[in-house]
Amino acid sequence: MSKFAELGLEENLLKAIEDMGFTTPSDVQEKAIPVLLEKDTDMVSLAQTGTGKTAAFGFPMLQKIDIGSRTTQGLILSPTRELCLQITNEIKNYGKYCKGLNVVAVYGGASISDQARDIKKGAQIIVATPGRMKDMIGRRMIDISKIEYCVLDEADEMLNMGFYEDITEILSYSPDDKSTWLFSATMPREVSNIAKKFMYDPVEITVGGKNMGAENVSHEYYLVNARDRYNALKRLADANPSIFSVIFCRTKRDTQKVAELLIEDGYSAAALHGDLSQNQRDLVMKSFRNRQIQMLVATDVAARGIDVDDITHVINYQLSDEIETYTHRSGRTGRAGKTGISIVIASKSESRKIHAIEKIIQKKFILKEVPSGMEICEVQLFHLANKIKQTEINHDIDAYLPNINEVLEEFSKEELIKKVFSVEFTRFYNYYKKAKDLNVSAGDMSEGSKDTVRYFINIGGKDDFDWMSLKDFLKEMLHLDQDDLYKVDVKESFSFFNTDTKHQELVMDFFKDFELEGRRVSVEISKDTGRGKRGGRDRDRGGSRGGFKSRGGDRRGGGDRRDNKRSSGSGGDRRDNRRSSGSGDDRRGGGSGDDRRGVGRSDGGRSDRAGSDRGRGDSGNSGFKGRSRRSSDKPAGSGTGGRRRRD
Ligand code: ADP
Ligand code: MG
C-alpha cells in the first residue's frame, strides 16, 4: 500500500498522485490528511511555504465533497490571483479522475461574467481572492450558503494585505456548521485572532519550521550605509555573474526605481508590482522564467505567486516592516532541492531586525563583506575566460575570417588574449579601480550610539496617520530618505520619530511654523531617545489601523507622484500629499555620480539591454529576442538620465 493510501485516500486520488510523481506525503500532509478525512473539524495548520499545503487540504476536500451534486461545497480563499490560479490548477490536477468535478477560480482583473457563468454550471469547489469573492456574493453571483468546507490559505498573507473585513463579510454568508481549515506560514496575532473568531476548537498542526527547501538556504547580510544600498546591490550582481534573483523592495515606488536604475546600468532586470497591468505582469514573469531577466525586482505581494525554481539569490534590498515576511521571501530560493542564498542588504536602521528574524527562522545570519572592486574584477575575468571556453563557434563568421585574420595577424596568441580581455574588462576595471569600501563595521551601528534624536510631534492617529503614512509624510516634507527616519511611533493624538542628529536642525527649522489643514503642527525634541522601544513599529503595523485600513504597503499610492508640492495648509486630500514621492530619491539617484554610472555588463551572453524594453513590460514580444545582444557598446555613463524626474 502506498504511503498516501495509508492516509486514507481513495483510489481515484491515489492514481492522480501517482501521475504527479508524489511518492511520500510531506509532514503537513501526513498530519493533516488523516484528521481531515476522519472527522469534520476545524483546523489551524502552521507550515512554511513549499511544504505541500495545497495537497494537505486539497485531497481531503476532494474526497469529502459529493461530486455527483452541483452545489458549491468547498471554498478556498487565497491572497493573490497568482496563488488562486495555482491552487485551482493543483486541485484540478488532483481531481483529474473525479468525473464531473468542476473547480472555478474567482479573482479580480478578469471578466466577472465569465466567472459567474462557470459557477452557474455548478462548481463544487471555488477558489477565490477575497475582493472579487465579496463582490460576487454581493451581486448574488455566488451562493456559499451550503458550503461544508472553507479553507483560508496563506491566512497571514491575506491579513497583511488588508483582507480582514472582506473575509469576515464573506464568511458571514456561509453556514455556521461548516469546517474551517486555516493554513498559514506564520502565526501573528491577527491570525490567531481570526482563528478564535471563526473556528471552534480547531485541531492544531505545526510543521516544525521545515520548509522543504529551508535547509538548503543560507542567510547572509551585508551592512552598508543606506545611501550605498544600490551600489551594494550592483556589486553583489557583478560578483555573481550568473545570478538569477528576486530582489525585494518595500514599496511599488522603490521597486520601480531600483529596476529602472538596474536597467539603465545595463543589467537584465525588470520590475514586478501591482501598478503593472496583469498583462504586463504576465510578460515580466514569462521573461523571468525564460531567464531573459536575471534580476526581478518585486514587491512582496507581487512576488507571492512566484514558483520559479533555480533562483540563486533572494535579495532583501530593504527588509519588510513585517519581519515575518522574510520567511516568504527567502522561500523563493532553495526550492526543488537546489541550494539558495537569501541576502539582506541592511542599513543602520535595519540591522537590529536581523536578530529578530534569526529567532523566527531559527538560523544564524552570516555577516558578509560587500566585495571590493578588485574582487569583482577578478570574478568577471574568470567568468569571461570560462565563457570564451564554452562558447560554441558561430560558423557564420567563417566568411569574414580571412579579413579579420589579416587585421590581427601581427599579434601572438598571448597578445590576442590580452587584447580580447581588455576589450571586455577595461570598463569594469575603470569603474571599480577607485571604488570605495562599502562596508560599515558592526561596531558603528551599535544601538547605543548617541547619534540619534527623538522628536515629539502633535499629530497622530486621529489625524488619520499610521506609522507608515506618517513616515511617508515626514520623508516627503523633509526631503529625507527612507532610512533617515525611524522609530516612527504613532499614538492617538501625537507621535514620535527619530532622525540622526545631523538632521536635527533641518527638522526643527522645517516645523518652526508649519500648518496642516489650518492647524499648527509642532515638533519638540523628546528626552527619551526611543531606545528600548524596539519593535514598536512592527507592532503598530499589525494593528487594525496600520495593517488593515491601508491594505498593506503594496496598494498604496504611487500614481500621484507629480503633485507633491503641496505642503502646509493644503486643504485637499491629505492622502495624496503623503504618498507622493519626495525628491529624496531623485537626489540619491542622480547625484552620487560614481557608483551610479554603470558599467554595462560585460558578459554579453545574456540579454543585457534587452531588459530595458521589457522592464516596463509594455514592449510586446519584439524585445524578447535579445539574448545575444550585448551591452558593451553602451558606454559607461550613457544612462538615459533624462528619464529620471528632476522635479
Ligand atoms: P505550500 O502551499 O505549502 O507553499 P504547495 O502546496 O504549493 O506548497 O507545494 C509546493 C510544491 O511541492 C508543489 O509543486 C507541489 O506539487 C509539490 N508537492 C506537494 N506535495 C508533494 C509531495 N508529497 N511530494 C512531492 N512534491 C509535492
Ligand atoms: Mg500554498
Side-chain angles (χ1 to χ4, degrees):
M1 192 153 85
S2 90
K3 294 218 175 89
F4 281 99
E6 285 167 24
L7 301 180
L9 293 172
E10 284 166 1
E11 194 51 41
N12 56 349
L13 298 174
L14 294 174
K15 232 163 44 177
I17 290 172
E18 198 178 321
D19 287 358
M20 283 183 300
F22 295 1
T23 51
T24 342
S26 69
D27 280 0
V28 67
Q29 291 162 5
E30 198 161 15
K31 287 186 178 161
I33 291 174
V35 176
L36 296 179
L37 286 178
E38 232 160 70
K39 49 181 182 177
D40 285 328
T41 174
D42 289 347
M43 172 176 279
V44 172
S45 189
L46 198 60
Q48 304 221 329
T49 310
T51 49
K53 294 192 284 293
T54 319
F57 61 75
F59 285 122
M61 187 181 279
L62 284 168
Q63 185 153 326
K64 293 184 97 166
I65 58 171
D66 175 7
I67 293 172
S69 153
R70 311 245 101 193
T71 310
T72 299
Q73 301 155 60
L75 170 66
I76 299 162
L77 291 176
S78 93
T80 65
R81 170 190 188 273
E82 279 74 17
L83 277 172
C84 174
L85 287 168
Q86 216 168 292
I87 294 167
T88 308
N89 279 334
E90 287 268 300
I91 303 265
K92 281 182 179 166
N93 233 341
Y94 303 161
K96 69 195 233 200
Y97 297 110
C98 304
K99 214 162 166 292
L101 174 69
N102 194 11
V103 186
V104 176
V106 160
Y107 52 89
S111 157
I112 198 166
S113 48
D114 287 358
Q115 292 173 359
R117 204 184 47 234
D118 287 347
I119 285 164
K120 221 167 165 191
K121 286 188 215 153
Q124 295 95 347
I125 297 177
I126 292 174
V127 188
T129 53
R132 173 59 65 94
M133 185 69 192
K134 189 183 98 172
D135 198 9
M136 291 183 76
I137 292 177
R139 299 201 209 178
R140 304 193 191 288
M141 290 167 156
I142 296 184
D143 175 11
I144 54 166
S145 64
K146 300 207 175 58
I147 61 167
E148 291 169 56
Y149 309 101
C150 175
V151 174
L152 305 175
D153 192 27
E154 312 271 4
D156 51 353
E157 214 47 45
M158 285 201 284
L159 295 176
N160 272 347
M161 291 171 67
F163 283 133
Y164 179 83
E165 275 137 29
D166 288 355
I167 293 172
T168 311
E169 186 173 337
I170 291 166
L171 294 183
S172 75
Y173 292 96
S174 71
D176 286 339
D177 61 357
K178 68 181 176 302
S179 301
T180 305
W181 306 338
L182 181 152
F183 287 80
S184 189
T186 61
M187 188 58 73
R189 200 184 52 230
E190 293 73 30
V191 175
S192 46
N193 284 349
I194 223 174
K196 278 194 206 104
K197 180 156 177 192
F198 293 109
M199 302 170 86
Y200 174 74
D201 194 18
V203 174
E204 289 177 26
I205 285 180
T206 304
V207 175
K210 260 188 266 157
N211 180 333
M212 277 180 177
E215 279 99 80
N216 310 328
V217 179
S218 59
H219 302 266
E220 304 176 347
Y221 72 112
Y222 295 82
L223 280 179
V224 301
N225 283 313
R227 65 174 176 279
D228 288 328
R229 226 183 259 280
Y230 178 69
N231 299 330
L233 174 65
K234 269 179 51 169
R235 288 208 196 170
L236 292 174
D238 288 340
N240 294 283
S242 310
I243 195 167
F244 182 53
S245 68
V246 184
I247 296 156
F248 286 96
C249 297
R250 271 183 77 244
T251 64
K252 283 189 282 203
R253 240 183 75 223
D254 289 343
T255 302
Q256 184 66 33
K257 188 186 73 190
V258 169
E260 280 176 17
L261 289 174
L262 286 170
I263 291 163
E264 281 176 21
D265 286 342
Y267 298 86
S268 54
L272 187 72
H273 56 66
D275 275 355
L276 302 178
S277 71
Q278 189 57 52
N279 190 39
Q280 288 172 324
R281 271 187 279 171
D282 290 345
L283 282 172
V284 168
M285 278 314 295
K286 190 170 157 211
S287 26
F288 186 56
R289 277 180 219 285
N290 294 340
R291 307 302 186 85
Q292 287 163 324
I293 289 169
Q294 270 187 285
M295 300 168 86
L296 181 68
V297 192
T299 56
D300 288 295
V301 174
R304 206 59 195 92
I306 297 178
D307 57 343
V308 178
D309 291 339
D310 301 335
I311 289 171
T312 59
H313 295 74
V314 164
I315 300 182
N316 293 264
Y317 185 78
Q318 297 145 336
L319 281 173
S320 162
D321 294 297
E322 292 282 336
I323 48 176
E324 289 87 357
T325 302
Y326 181 83
T327 317
H328 293 299
R329 291 180 172 188
S330 59
R332 300 294 121 213
T333 187
R335 294 169 74 89
K338 305 277 170 37
T339 58
I341 301 174
S342 176
I343 288 176
V344 179
I345 302 177
S347 73
K348 201 169 184 169
S349 59
E350 285 175 318
S351 59
R352 53 179 80 93
K353 283 191 187 168
I354 297 281
H355 301 294
I357 293 171
E358 284 178 335
K359 288 209 184 92
I360 291 180
I361 60 172
Q362 308 214 322
K363 272 192 153 187
K364 283 272 173 223
F365 274 85
I366 306 164
L367 174 62
K368 303 275 277 196
E369 298 256 302
V370 182
S372 71
M374 284 309 109
E375 283 171 278
I376 289 170
C377 289
E378 193 180 332
V379 168
Q380 288 286 340
L381 269 181
F382 282 98
H383 182 67
L384 179 60
N386 279 315
K387 214 168 92 178
I388 291 175
K389 192 173 165 184
Q390 285 156 18
T391 297
E392 284 198 28
I393 288 167
N394 177 350
H395 288 288
D396 291 344
I397 61 174
D398 288 355
Y400 308 99
L401 278 179
N403 289 336
I404 294 174
N405 282 330
E406 212 170 291
V407 175
L408 299 174
E409 73 187 346
E410 62 189 279
F411 302 114
S412 69
K413 177 186 168 190
E414 281 70 32
E415 283 169 320
L416 269 180
I417 290 178
K418 283 183 199 164
K419 279 184 178 287
V420 167
F421 275 74
S422 301
V423 168
E424 288 288 345
F425 179 67
T426 305
R427 228 161 358 101
F428 254 99
Y429 179 74
N430 286 342
Y431 178 69
Y432 273 124
K433 67 182 171 195
K434 292 203 198 88
K436 60 177 180 139
D437 183 3
L438 297 184
N439 295 291
V440 176
S441 79
D444 297 348
M445 337 202 65
S446 67
E447 263 247 52
S449 93
K450 292 182 205 68
D451 213 18
T452 183
V453 183
R454 189 152 178 86
Y455 308 86
F456 165 95
I457 186 166
N458 64 340
I459 50 180
K462 70 170 167 35
D463 306 291
D464 244 4
F465 283 105
D466 58 40
W467 75 261
M468 255 199 294
S469 56
L470 181 63
K471 181 167 176 165
D472 285 348
F473 172 73
L474 292 168
K475 202 165 82 177
E476 177 186 333
M477 289 299 145
L478 298 164
H479 294 300
L480 287 174
D481 275 339
Q482 181 68 30
D483 301 284
D484 294 334
L485 289 152
Y486 41 94
K487 296 183 185 168
V488 180
D489 211 347
V490 175
K491 310 288 184 208
E492 190 51 24
S493 57
F494 57 88
S495 308
F496 294 99
F497 64 96
N498 277 45
T499 72
D500 287 353
T501 310
K502 64 176 184 247
H503 298 304
Q504 178 178 331
E505 206 176 315
L506 168 79
V507 176
M508 297 313 288
D509 270 1
F510 183 86
F511 285 104
K512 226 177 229 151
D513 69 297
F514 180 83
E515 286 183 10
L516 186 67
E517 293 174 354
R519 189 160 71 83
R520 179 82 218 290
V521 173
S522 66
V523 167
E524 290 160 27
I525 290 175
S526 158
K527 276 170 220 94
D528 171 12
T529 60
R531 257 175 257 145
K533 296 218 166 181
R534 214 69 325 299
R537 57 160 139 180
D538 295 328
R539 258 181 275 121
D540 284 353
R541 164 86 165 87
S544 60
R545 163 157 273 136
F548 299 147
K549 196 156 92 191
S550 66
R551 301 210 134 192
D554 220 19
R555 304 219 182 152
R556 326 185 77 232
D560 43 16
R561 292 180 179 155
R562 270 156 203 286
D563 56 13
N564 60 358
K565 286 288 182 273
R566 281 177 284 159
S567 55
S568 60
S570 71
D573 180 4
R574 194 184 328 119
R575 230 166 265 175
D576 282 352
N577 189 350
R578 285 191 232 146
R579 289 179 187 185
S580 51
S581 71
S583 54
D585 300 311
D586 295 334
R587 262 188 285 130
R588 202 201 290 183
S592 60
D594 66 352
D595 260 13
R596 269 294 342 280
R597 233 159 306 154
V599 223
R601 305 283 300 204
S602 69
D603 48 343
R606 280 167 285 119
S607 57
D608 294 331
R609 321 187 37 191
S612 62
D613 301 320
R614 259 180 268 122
R616 277 154 208 86
D618 56 8
S619 63
N621 281 322
S622 59
F624 286 74
K625 294 199 286 277
R627 278 210 156 245
S628 61
R629 263 207 274 163
R630 299 213 323 219
S631 68
S632 43
D633 53 350
K634 181 185 171 193
S638 74
T640 47
R643 213 188 301 148
R644 273 195 303 278
R645 289 178 304 281
R646 295 260 171 249
D647 46 352

